[in-house]
Amino acid sequence: MNDRATDSPPGRLASWEKRTEFPLFMAALLFLAGYAVRVLASPGTEPWRGVALALVCVTWLLFLVDYAARLRLSGLGLRFVHAHWLDTVVLVLPLLRPLRVVRIYNAVRYRRDQPRLDLYARVMAYAGLSSLLIGFAGALAVYQQEHGAAGATIRTFGDAAWWVCATLTTVGYGDVSPVTPGGRAVAVLLMVCGLALLGAVTGSFSSWLLQVFSREDDKRPPERG
């Protein structure tokens, strides 16, 4: 019966994802490292910029091969694009791959046979790691778009990192802001990610507090009339 489940399209897809998720996450980190070198290295630092560009292209091709394999194994045809919309977005924008850190955690846990963390601890860990990786990627992207533009206020990577912190936390000081179309597109993505991550953390923390207070009420002796 297990063989039949494994031979079915969902079983083959799950088996492929289990084997490739962690290596692809490492490839995503290599993509981010190559992109960082490409953006932050000065134009005269060859051959490192060329190596970084090759690394970015190779890792993106790995994402493309993985997407094509999963499309074929799923048996859904083009419906796979709609059913797995996050995978499609990540293929187009590999810098968003940290959003799939939830599946990375599950793959590592299954491989090492470790118990799952508490729900609230998982939410905090996912949100924290995702914020860190997406924030770094967003700072690189907006710095690449902005630092050479006329009238730009984001001139250094430090300016970009400060702007990302203010954007992801929904503070928005407004002292620096993107002026190019590409930089503003990055800003929109970071705003959406920031709201989603902040909402997840706030909701989880509120739920945890309610659970704690409920337990305290249950343990409290009944009041006398």
Side-chain angles (χ1 to χ4, degrees), residues 6 15 27 30 44 47-48 52-53 61 71 96 99 112 128 137 140 144-145 151 173 177 182 184 195 197 211 215:
T6 305
S15 178
L30 289 176
W48 297 114
L53 179 60
L61 284 176
L71 180 87
L96 295 181
L99 287 174
R112 298 184 179 181
L140 289 173
Q144 182 184 31
Q145 296 293 326
Y173 283 108
S177 58
R184 289 175 177 174
L195 287 173
L197 293 171
Q211 190 177 63
R215 289 174 181 173

Side-chain angles (χ1 to χ4, degrees), residues 18-32:
K18 186 177 180 180
R19 292 196 306 266
T20 61
E21 195 64 50
F22 187 74
L24 285 173
F25 181 71
M26 297 305 296
L29 294 182
L30 289 176
F31 177 94
L32 191 58

Side-chain angles (χ1 to χ4, degrees), residues 8-205:
S8 65
R12 292 196 300 267
L13 179 60
S15 178
W16 172 269
E17 290 177 343
K18 186 177 180 180
R19 292 196 306 266
T20 61
E21 195 64 50
F22 187 74
L24 285 173
F25 181 71
M26 297 305 296
L29 294 182
L30 289 176
F31 177 94
L32 191 58
Y35 182 59
V37 172
R38 184 70 184 176
V39 172
L40 298 178
S42 58
T45 55
E46 297 295 346
W48 297 114
R49 283 172 55 85
V51 172
L53 179 60
L55 185 61
V56 167
C57 294
V58 169
T59 50
W60 187 83
L61 284 176
L62 289 177
F63 302 150
L64 181 61
V65 170
D66 170 67
Y67 187 86
R70 296 174 66 221
L71 180 87
R72 181 176 177 276
L73 292 173
S74 67
L76 297 175
L78 292 179
R79 289 178 296 166
F80 178 87
V81 177
H82 175 72
H84 298 78
W85 61 270
L86 181 57
D87 298 313
T88 307
V89 172
V90 167
L91 177 65
V92 178
L93 300 172
L95 293 179
L96 295 181
R97 195 165 187 86
L99 287 174
R100 300 188 62 191
V101 69
V102 174
R103 299 181 62 177
I104 300 303
Y105 166 77
N106 289 332
V108 173
R109 181 179 61 84
Y110 287 139
R111 182 174 299 178
R112 298 184 179 181
D113 196 23
Q114 294 178 345
R116 299 173 72 180
L117 293 174
D118 180 75
L119 172 63
Y120 307 112
R122 275 182 285 152
V123 171
M124 296 296 181
Y126 297 157
L129 184 56
S130 296
S131 299
L132 181 64
L133 294 176
I134 292 174
F136 180 62
L140 289 173
V142 79
Y143 172 71
Q144 182 184 31
Q145 296 293 326
E146 294 289 316
H147 73 280
T153 57
I154 300 176
R155 293 291 186 181
T156 65
F157 183 72
D159 294 336
W162 168 252
W163 172 81
V164 165
C165 291
T167 302
L168 280 178
T169 56
T170 70
V171 174
Y173 283 108
D175 52 345
V176 291
S177 58
V179 298
T180 64
R184 289 175 177 174
V186 174
V188 171
L189 289 174
L190 286 177
M191 289 174 192
V192 172
C193 292
L195 287 173
L197 293 171
L198 185 62
V201 172
T202 303
S204 178
F205 184 69

